[in-house]
């Protein structure tokens, strides 16, 4: 390339940069003089005008500018839509170079004629990119290959383009100091020339392929260990500085949605595998591809449709210390740990000019945020701009800067080059946006309503799922997994739901009753001999379910002694067995906020002879096909789907101002003033992994809204399992493997002993009452339950259900129970609704005017008639069903409130469906939402 061409190229770039800059400056001035209603259209026209200028210049110049345009076309979260729609054209092939030029390069590099190397060479290229073009060919030995040939003279062009880009960045930093992109362009100047050496790319390809354990496309992916990455990388056949010959792999482009659908490709699995591949490259190998734009991925046409990774010209090597620092930054951001985050920044060489931890957290949140569709880009830019203005105001106050100094202030003192490529990879990997199809008109309206609540700051992350007449009508997820975890909430995300767990635990106990393993009128001491101590011999199973056992404050002793004791299942059961009641059984209904779970759990294990988790799986998880989306105590392996808790401080302040309310029928340790204190520390405690993994059947359920809604949809129909969940929801409900796999009895005993020894050592004392009495009891069919010390196990046989000819008339419903010769049910009792509510034939087992039936909260209309049952949790999550109208709904959220947000959502949905609104939720829509009255009775049970 002659100096004349270089000069003309340079002038074209600088002229265009100045023209666009002056155009936007003029628009800024014009918007001051026009009506507000016309400002949006003014900017839209400016974006369209300048986007066309940029595209035309890139197509004219090619070279490095094409690569820059390809990258910008993936940034719908920060660029206006006109730029995205036009620059996306650059992801397709550019005009090809003549085949004569290609042949000259190949023959010069390998010293051999085209005929001597190839049996066949397709002259029309498969693709033409900024640096090279790719042709399909057949070697003389019959192997199918692709030949990547570098454009002649491109090296000079790329190096010149880098100089021009550096000059423009310097000029922008001078004119607009807040937009200093020098660290980014400096790293590009250092790394981009490496892409021009195809020998280097060949070696990079071999290294990444070996690191990821890639072998060949015919290998059975099912035989790969679960921890290995299942992707394909073409084998390198031959290379020189400007020519690269690779194995041919037939694939579908990543953004060719029609073809992906036609071949039956599981797009979710492809995205997950690509993400795993990059996580492995960055955090394990420390050697990763820095250019993952959509054109560098294919999906194999042959099952199991594995991702094909291409183009390793731009790679980055990380030191061990940088890998650790990046991992530390990731976890610190997820956990909201400001100290660890600042430490990670220091370790990776990212220095801030001012110690403002909250802004440091925002930097990491920016790294790990999700992408946004193009039509939301303007709003994203606006939000980022508003946040930046707030940050600068804080800085101005702290450093006492004037307006001119603030404008030129850059909060970043040093930006490490490694982070430039790392953040570029994260941005490019955001290309896939989860689609969320709509099930009904009411769901479309609900999504608009959720946007309103989000704009009001009432929602962080949320799921809502509803069934009507056995069919899914709503399955919506929105927001992000945590305050410092900006990954989007998905339908299979797991939310901590606190006391919603009680409704599940109660269902397990009723399942044992339904299977003939237990009676509601039975004395607990008959099946749990240790429980008889301290005057508890008259407490029956129904007293526990009805919150009338008198053991409502037992959990206070546990938490005051050592809050982490609630993680020790055996110790909690032991304390329950040794406790003393405060009131006579059946006399007074006081909410058993934690003791309820251990009481039910002890009964379940003693009556069944099995572990609590096994009954949960047998009675609920498996029949409902909700594997992997409902846990009471999470297992290892699901952490990536967990939502993190935060608190709605407005709600907290309102509750803290409410006096104690005896009419709420809450124990003395759980009145509003105590609740507000507890809620303030709850997110920190229940975000801890060891707490999440503990079995706390009153408060530690983790589930998706769709799993919870399916459970209540089954209960609404008297135990009939609904049809398979909607195919519109991705990934499909029940597609995750359910964990844990239960260990053998011997292993369980060893682990139990070790755990007790450690606990005893920590407390410097020995537990002197560890299930001292062994017992056995005959069950139907000669089965045996486990002894108190766990000596024997017997698997409960699920009773197969068949159709019943008995007409069912529930006390609260005149709806006939669905009848079918092959109906699957989890309950056979035709009056199971009466059992849940403690009415009808079960009326003597529950206090008549109490808020609770037998394990479930009773929901009624304003006239006092019961319409259904369910359970809510402290944070606002809830599950509820209206049995008269065969309606079930579940709401899960991670911004803990005391019911106002959930109440408004359920009121909205019920109103849209013309269904009666339970009084518990109706009150939230009838008061001003900024007044304490709507929290006078917190929605926690």
């Amino acid at each position: 390339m002659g100096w004349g061409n270089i000069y003309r190229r340079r002038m074209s770039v600088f002229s265009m940069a100045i023209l666009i800059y002056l155009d936007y400056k003029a628009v800024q001035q014009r918007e001051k003089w026009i009506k507000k209603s016309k400002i949006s259209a003014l900017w839209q026209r400016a974006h369209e005008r300048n986007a066309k200028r940029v595209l035309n210049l890139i197509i004219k110049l090619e070279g490095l500018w094409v690569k820059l345009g390809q990258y910008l076309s993936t940034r719908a979260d920060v660029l206006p839509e006109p730029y995205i729609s036009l620059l996306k054209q650059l992801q397709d092939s550019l005009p090809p170079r003549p085949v004569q030029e290609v042949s000259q390069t190949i023959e010069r590099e390998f010293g051999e004629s085209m005929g001597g190397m190839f049996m066949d060479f397709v002259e029309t290229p498969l693709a033409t990119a900024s640096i090279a073009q790719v042709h399909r060919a057949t070697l003389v030995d019959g192997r199918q290959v692709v030949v990547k040939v570098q454009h002649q003279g491109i090296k000079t062009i790329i190096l010149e383009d880098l100089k021009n880009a550096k000059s423009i960045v310097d000029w922008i930093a001078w004119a607009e100091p807040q937009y200093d992109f020098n660290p980014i362009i400096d790293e590009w100047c250092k790394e981009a020339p490496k892409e021009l050496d195809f020998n280097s790319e060949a070696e990079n390809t071999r290294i990444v392929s070996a690191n990821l354990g890639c072998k060949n496309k015919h290998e059975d992916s099912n035989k790969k260990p679960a921890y290995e990455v299942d992707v394909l990388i073409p084998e390198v056949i031959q290379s020189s500085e400007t020519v690269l010959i690779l194995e041919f792999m037939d694939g579908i482009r990543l953004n060719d949605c029609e073809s992906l659908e036609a071949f039956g490709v599981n797009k979710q699995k492809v995205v997950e595998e690509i993400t795993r591949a990059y996580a492995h490259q960055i955090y394990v190998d420390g050697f990763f591809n820095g250019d993952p734009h959509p054109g560098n991925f294919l999906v194999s046409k042959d099952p199991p449709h594995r991702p094909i990774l291409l183009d390793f010209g731009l790679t980055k090597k990380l030191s061990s210390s940088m890998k650790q620092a990046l991992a530390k930054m990731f976890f610190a951001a997820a956990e909201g740990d400001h100290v660890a985050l600042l430490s990670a920044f220091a370790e990776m060489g990212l220095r801030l000019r001012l110690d403002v931890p909250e802004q440091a957290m925002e930097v990491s949140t920016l790294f790990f945020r999700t992408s946004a569709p193009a039509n939301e880009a303007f709003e994203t830019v606006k939000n980022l701009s508003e946040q930046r203005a707030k940050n600068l105001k804080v800085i101005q106050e702290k450093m006492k800067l004037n307006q001119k100094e603030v404008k030129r202030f850059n909060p970043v003192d040093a930006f490490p080059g490694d982070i430039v490529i790392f953040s570029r990879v994260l941005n490019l990997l955001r290309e896939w946006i989860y689609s969320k199809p709509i099930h009904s008109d009411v769901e479309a309206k609900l999504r608009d309503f959720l946007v309103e609540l989000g704009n009001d700051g009432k929602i962080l992350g949320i799921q809502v799922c509803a069934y009507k007449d056995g069919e899914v009508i709503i399955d919506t997820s929105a927001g992000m997994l945590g305050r410092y975890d900006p990954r989007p909430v998905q339908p299979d995300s797991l939310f901590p739901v606190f006391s919603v767990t009680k409704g599940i635990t109660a269902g397990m106990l009723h399942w044992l009753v339904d299977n003939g393993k237990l009676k509601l009128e039975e004395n607990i001491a008959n099946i749990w001999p240790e429980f008889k101590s301290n005057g508890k011999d008259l407490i029956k199973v129904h007293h526990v379910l009805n919150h009338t056992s008198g053991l409502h404050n037992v959990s206070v002793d546990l938490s005051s002694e050592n809050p982490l004791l609630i993680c020790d299942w055996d110790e909690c059961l032991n304390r329950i067995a040794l406790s003393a009641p405060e009131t006579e059984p059946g006399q007074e209904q006081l909410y058993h906020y934690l003791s309820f779970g251990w009481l039910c759990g002890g009964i379940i294990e003693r009556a069944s002879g099995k572990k609590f988790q096994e009954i949960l799986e047998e009675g609920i998880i498996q029949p409902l096909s909700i594997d992997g989306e409902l846990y009471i105590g999470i297992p290892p392996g699901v952490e990536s789907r967990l939502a993190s808790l935060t608190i709605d401080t407005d709600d907290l302040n309102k509750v803290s101002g409410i006096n104690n309310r005896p009419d709420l029928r809450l124990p003395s340790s759980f009145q509003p003033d105590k609740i507000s204190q507890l809620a303030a520390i709850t997110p920190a405690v229940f975000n801890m992994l060891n707490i999440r993994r503990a079995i706390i059947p009153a408060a530690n359920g983790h589930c998706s809204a769709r799993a919870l809604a399916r459970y209540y949809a089954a209960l609404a129909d008297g135990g009939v399992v609904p049809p398979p969940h909607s195919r519109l929801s991705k990934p499909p409900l029940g597609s995750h493997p359910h964990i844990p796999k239960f260990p053998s009895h011997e292993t369980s005993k060893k682990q139990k002993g070790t755990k007790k020894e450690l606990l005893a050592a920590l407390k410097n004392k020995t537990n002197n009452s560890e299930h001292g009495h062994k017992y056995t009891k005959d069950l139907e069919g000669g089965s045996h339950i486990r002894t108190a010390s766990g000596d024997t196990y017997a698997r409960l046989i699920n009773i197969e259900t068949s159709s019943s000819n008995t007409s069912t008339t529930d006390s609260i419903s005149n709806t006939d129970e669905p009848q079918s010769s092959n109906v699957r049910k989890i309950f056979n009792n035709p009056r199971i609704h009466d059992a849940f509510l403690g009415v009808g034939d079960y009326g003597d087992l529950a206090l008549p005017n109490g808020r609770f039936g037998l394990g479930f909260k009773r929901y009624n209309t304003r006239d006092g008639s019961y319409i259904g049952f369910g359970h809510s949790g402290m944070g606002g999550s809830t599950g509820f069903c209206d049995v008269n109208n065969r309606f079930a709904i579940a709401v899960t959220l991670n911004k803990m409130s005391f019911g106002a947000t959930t109440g408004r959502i359920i009121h909205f949905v019920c109103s849209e469906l013309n269904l009666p609104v339970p009084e518990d939720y109706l009150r939230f829509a009838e008061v001003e939402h900024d007044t304490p009255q709507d929290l006078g009775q917190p929605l926690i049970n």
Side-chain angles (χ1 to χ4, degrees):
M1 177 182 281
W3 282 108
N5 286 335
I6 290 176
Y7 177 76
R8 282 192 293 272
R9 191 178 184 87
R10 186 176 297 173
M11 288 303 298
S12 297
V13 171
F14 280 97
S15 299
M16 184 63 67
I18 293 171
L19 177 62
I20 292 173
Y21 175 77
L22 293 176
D23 191 353
Y24 278 123
K25 280 293 181 182
V27 171
Q28 281 182 339
Q29 294 302 316
R30 285 185 63 193
E31 75 171 345
K32 297 176 183 178
W33 305 100
I34 65 174
K35 294 180 181 178
K36 285 187 177 181
S37 60
K38 296 183 178 181
I39 290 177
S40 179
L42 177 69
W43 280 99
Q44 180 71 9
R45 289 193 298 272
H47 294 324
E48 290 172 354
R49 188 167 59 244
N50 289 313
K52 288 177 184 176
R53 290 168 175 165
V54 170
L55 177 65
N56 291 335
L57 182 66
I58 288 175
I59 291 174
K60 174 186 172 184
L61 298 181
E62 297 185 356
L64 180 75
W65 302 108
V66 172
K67 191 166 286 291
L68 177 62
Q70 288 173 337
Y71 172 64
L72 292 175
S73 73
T74 68
R75 298 307 310 277
D77 53 343
V78 294
L79 273 185
E81 190 276 334
Y83 284 90
I84 302 302
S85 59
L86 286 176
L87 294 180
K88 270 186 177 177
Q89 299 174 34
L90 299 172
Q91 292 179 12
D92 299 322
S93 281
L94 297 171
R97 296 293 179 93
V99 71
Q100 292 83 359
E101 177 186 311
V102 171
S103 300
Q104 287 174 5
T105 302
I106 294 172
E107 291 177 351
R108 183 187 70 243
E109 290 294 303
F110 294 119
E112 195 172 348
S113 68
M114 294 286 286
M117 293 182 66
F118 304 107
M119 185 186 303
D120 180 50
F121 188 89
V122 180
E123 293 188 357
T124 304
L126 292 171
T128 303
S130 55
I131 292 176
Q133 62 191 52
V134 178
H135 292 260
R136 187 171 178 181
T138 306
L139 296 176
V140 290
D141 61 7
R143 283 184 290 176
Q144 297 289 311
V145 296
V146 291
V147 186
K148 182 176 179 180
V149 184
Q150 191 174 119
H151 302 318
Q152 290 183 9
I154 195 66
K155 186 171 184 177
T156 304
I157 292 173
I158 292 289
L159 296 177
E160 177 61 24
D161 288 345
L162 283 170
K163 289 180 186 175
N164 294 339
K166 171 66 174 168
S167 299
I168 290 173
V169 167
D170 286 341
W171 173 65
I172 292 173
W174 172 80
E176 304 287 340
Q178 65 269 38
Y179 300 114
D180 185 357
F181 301 113
N182 268 297
I184 297 174
I185 196 64
D186 289 345
E187 185 67 12
W188 266 50
C189 290
K190 182 175 132 185
E191 298 293 334
K194 296 178 183 177
E195 288 193 80
L196 300 170
D197 184 354
F198 287 0
N199 279 323
S200 175
E201 180 176 342
E203 183 59 24
N204 295 339
T205 305
R206 293 187 185 101
I207 291 171
V208 175
S209 181
N211 288 343
L212 297 182
C214 300
K215 292 183 180 176
N216 61 70
K217 59 187 175 184
H218 304 296
E219 183 185 20
D220 186 356
S221 61
N222 292 324
K223 293 181 180 178
K224 276 198 165 197
Y227 58 83
E228 283 195 13
V229 178
D230 193 17
V231 296
L232 298 173
I233 295 177
E235 179 188 354
V236 176
I237 307 297
Q238 193 174 357
S239 69
S240 72
E241 187 175 352
T242 59
V243 180
L244 178 61
I245 302 177
L246 299 165
E247 168 191 14
F248 171 75
M249 288 187 172
D250 196 11
I252 309 162
R253 292 185 59 175
L254 200 60
N255 52 8
D256 185 354
C257 295
E258 252 184 59
S259 298
L260 292 173
E261 289 287 345
F263 277 86
V265 174
N266 183 335
K267 292 185 282 187
Q268 175 74 17
K269 186 181 178 187
V270 169
V271 173
E272 288 175 358
E273 212 57 51
I274 290 173
T275 305
R276 289 182 69 223
Y278 271 84
H280 197 289
Q281 290 176 64
I282 293 168
Y283 294 111
V284 178
D285 308 322
F287 188 82
F288 63 96
N289 179 3
D291 193 25
H293 67 76
N296 286 345
F297 296 103
L298 296 174
V299 179
S300 63
K301 291 183 177 179
D302 298 325
H305 306 300
R306 285 176 274 188
I308 302 171
L309 276 53
L310 306 172
D311 193 349
F312 294 88
L314 178 59
T315 55
K316 188 69 182 176
K317 187 173 180 61
L318 300 175
S319 65
S320 295
S321 59
M322 180 58 77
K323 282 193 300 180
Q324 291 170 3
L326 288 171
K328 187 174 180 179
M329 177 180 74
F330 182 87
F331 283 113
E335 294 293 330
D337 188 337
H338 294 83
V339 174
L341 184 67
L342 290 172
S343 172
F345 280 178
E347 289 171 23
M348 66 178 66
L350 176 60
R351 296 195 303 274
L352 305 178
R353 295 183 189 274
L354 190 63
D355 183 17
V356 184
E358 292 78 10
Q359 293 185 24
M361 189 62 72
E362 285 164 10
V363 171
S364 63
T365 300
L366 191 67
F367 276 152
F368 298 117
R369 73 193 184 283
T370 187
S371 61
N375 60 0
E376 296 176 15
F378 180 79
E379 193 63 31
T380 305
V381 173
K382 181 182 174 185
N383 291 339
L384 288 173
S385 178
E386 289 174 354
Q387 188 58 51
R388 185 178 186 279
K390 291 178 183 177
N391 293 345
L392 284 175
K393 190 172 181 181
V394 172
I395 290 169
Q396 184 177 9
E397 291 173 356
K398 279 183 174 282
M399 300 188 69
K400 296 181 173 58
L401 303 175
N402 59 38
Q403 284 297 116
K404 188 175 181 180
E405 289 170 329
V406 167
K407 184 181 178 183
R408 305 190 73 84
F409 181 80
N410 188 341
V412 178
D413 187 39
F415 199 93
D418 288 343
I419 298 299
V420 174
I421 304 299
F422 172 75
S423 59
R424 181 171 187 266
V425 167
L426 290 183
N427 289 329
L428 288 168
L429 287 176
R430 293 193 185 103
E431 187 66 13
W432 282 66
I433 299 170
Y434 290 89
S435 59
K436 297 175 182 175
I438 294 174
H439 297 79
S440 63
D441 291 341
V442 69
E443 182 170 33
K445 294 177 182 177
L446 174 65
R447 290 183 181 181
D448 291 338
F449 184 57
L450 293 180
V451 170
E452 289 179 28
L453 292 175
N455 290 339
D456 291 340
K458 293 301 179 185
I459 291 175
L460 180 63
I462 193 168
Q463 297 169 322
V464 182
C465 183
Y467 280 72
K468 180 73 174 73
D469 300 322
E471 299 290 337
V472 177
I473 59 168
I474 296 171
D475 191 1
T476 282
S477 55
M480 55 190 193
L481 287 177
R483 183 181 175 193
Y484 301 119
D485 184 354
R487 291 176 299 153
V489 173
Q490 299 300 337
D492 62 339
S493 300
L494 299 175
F495 281 71
V497 293
F498 294 98
S499 288
V500 174
T501 316
K502 292 182 177 71
I504 299 161
T505 301
M508 294 165 62
L509 205 151
H510 279 285
W511 184 79
L512 289 176
V513 173
D514 198 66
N515 279 270
K517 308 304 177 186
L518 183 66
K519 293 181 179 179
L520 293 172
E521 303 89 340
E522 193 163 4
N523 285 343
I524 297 173
N526 291 346
I527 56 173
W528 188 356
E530 301 93 330
F531 187 81
K532 188 176 183 180
S533 65
N534 294 320
K536 299 193 297 297
D537 50 312
L538 297 180
I539 298 177
K540 301 179 185 297
V541 173
H542 67 81
H543 291 139
V544 170
L545 288 172
N546 194 226
H547 295 269
T548 56
S549 74
L551 299 171
H552 40 275
N553 280 326
V554 172
S555 52
V556 178
D557 298 332
L558 276 170
S559 57
S560 60
E561 180 183 338
N562 178 0
L564 294 183
L565 271 180
I566 64 174
C567 298
D568 190 324
W569 173 250
D570 292 325
E571 180 65 15
C572 289
L573 294 188
N574 189 41
R575 297 292 185 95
I576 289 289
L578 296 175
S579 64
E582 294 184 28
T583 59
E584 289 293 320
Q587 297 303 306
E588 190 173 5
Q589 191 175 79
L590 290 165
Y591 186 48
H592 292 39
Y593 58 100
L594 277 178
S595 56
F596 178 91
W598 294 309
L599 285 163
C600 289
I603 295 169
I604 288 167
E605 289 206 337
R606 268 62 182 183
S608 68
K610 305 191 67 180
K611 292 184 177 182
F612 179 88
Q613 301 275 28
E614 290 180 275
I615 298 301
L616 174 62
E617 188 172 341
E618 283 185 43
I620 295 175
I621 305 297
Q622 291 178 351
L624 294 178
S625 301
I626 53 176
D627 303 66
E629 293 194 29
L630 193 157
Y631 292 102
I632 300 179
I634 64 161
V638 302
E639 293 85 354
S640 64
R641 292 190 285 130
L642 291 180
S644 298
L645 295 165
T646 188
I647 191 77
D648 187 327
T649 52
D650 290 340
D651 269 12
L652 180 65
N653 293 334
K654 292 171 188 174
V655 170
S656 63
I658 300 173
N659 295 324
N660 285 353
R661 293 275 304 278
D663 59 300
L664 295 183
R665 310 312 299 156
L666 299 173
S668 58
S669 58
F670 205 61
Q671 285 290 320
D673 59 336
K674 300 287 196 306
I675 294 171
S676 62
Q677 294 171 20
L678 181 64
I681 64 168
T682 292
V685 173
F686 276 80
N687 281 338
M688 293 168 61
L689 196 55
N690 57 338
I691 294 288
R692 287 178 182 258
R693 287 182 176 168
I695 303 172
I696 309 173
N700 205 30
H702 286 74
C703 64
S704 62
R706 62 183 185 175
L708 185 61
R710 186 168 175 80
Y711 170 65
Y712 275 102
L715 300 191
D717 274 350
V720 176
V721 176
H725 194 76
S726 168
R727 292 183 180 179
L728 296 178
S729 298
K730 302 293 181 183
L733 177 60
S735 59
H736 292 285
H738 195 72
I739 313 170
K741 299 297 181 187
F742 295 103
S744 67
H745 168 53
E746 289 301 321
T747 304
S748 179
K749 280 205 300 186
K750 288 177 184 176
Q751 289 174 343
K752 178 178 171 183
T754 304
K755 184 178 180 182
K756 289 216 162 287
E757 288 166 12
L758 285 171
L759 186 64
L762 285 169
K763 293 191 291 186
N764 292 318
K765 65 179 182 179
T766 304
N767 294 322
N768 53 17
S769 55
E770 177 58 23
H771 303 308
H773 304 284
K774 295 184 179 182
Y775 67 97
T776 59
K777 180 177 179 179
D778 291 332
L779 297 174
E780 294 177 342
S783 299
H784 296 81
I785 68 168
R786 180 175 49 166
T787 64
S789 59
D791 289 338
T792 61
Y793 282 87
R795 188 162 187 81
L796 282 178
I797 299 172
N798 258 338
I799 296 176
E800 293 295 328
T801 60
S802 60
S803 64
S804 171
N805 296 321
T806 306
S807 176
T808 301
T809 306
D810 293 299
S811 299
I812 61 169
S813 173
N814 295 319
T815 305
D816 289 340
E817 182 180 295
Q819 302 293 327
S820 171
S821 59
N822 55 3
V823 169
R824 293 178 61 235
K825 300 177 71 177
I826 55 175
F827 292 103
N828 294 304
N829 181 359
R831 302 192 184 280
I832 193 65
H833 290 155
D834 285 4
F836 292 155
L837 283 159
V839 298
D841 291 345
Y842 299 85
D844 293 339
L845 306 182
L847 289 183
N849 298 317
R851 292 163 58 83
F852 291 95
L854 296 179
F856 294 90
K857 168 71 176 63
R858 296 163 167 171
Y859 287 111
N860 55 272
T861 55
R862 183 147 288 172
D863 64 9
S865 58
Y866 294 139
I867 58 172
F869 52 86
H871 221 296
S872 298
M874 177 187 289
S877 294
T878 200
F880 152 74
C881 66
D882 175 345
V883 298
N884 289 332
N885 293 289
R886 298 184 64 207
F887 171 70
I889 188 169
V891 179
T892 57
L893 38 76
N894 58 356
K895 187 169 189 178
M896 295 175 59
S897 68
F898 290 92
T901 300
T902 304
R904 293 174 67 188
I905 290 169
I906 292 180
H907 180 274
F908 179 89
V909 173
C910 289
S911 298
E912 287 292 328
L913 295 171
N914 292 316
L915 298 177
V917 183
E919 188 174 12
D920 287 63
Y921 304 116
L922 188 62
R923 58 193 168 88
F924 289 111
E926 296 179 340
V927 295
E928 292 297 324
H929 301 299
D930 57 352
T931 61
Q933 287 95 315
D934 61 335
L935 297 170
Q937 188 172 305
L939 185 66
I940 56 175
N941 51 56

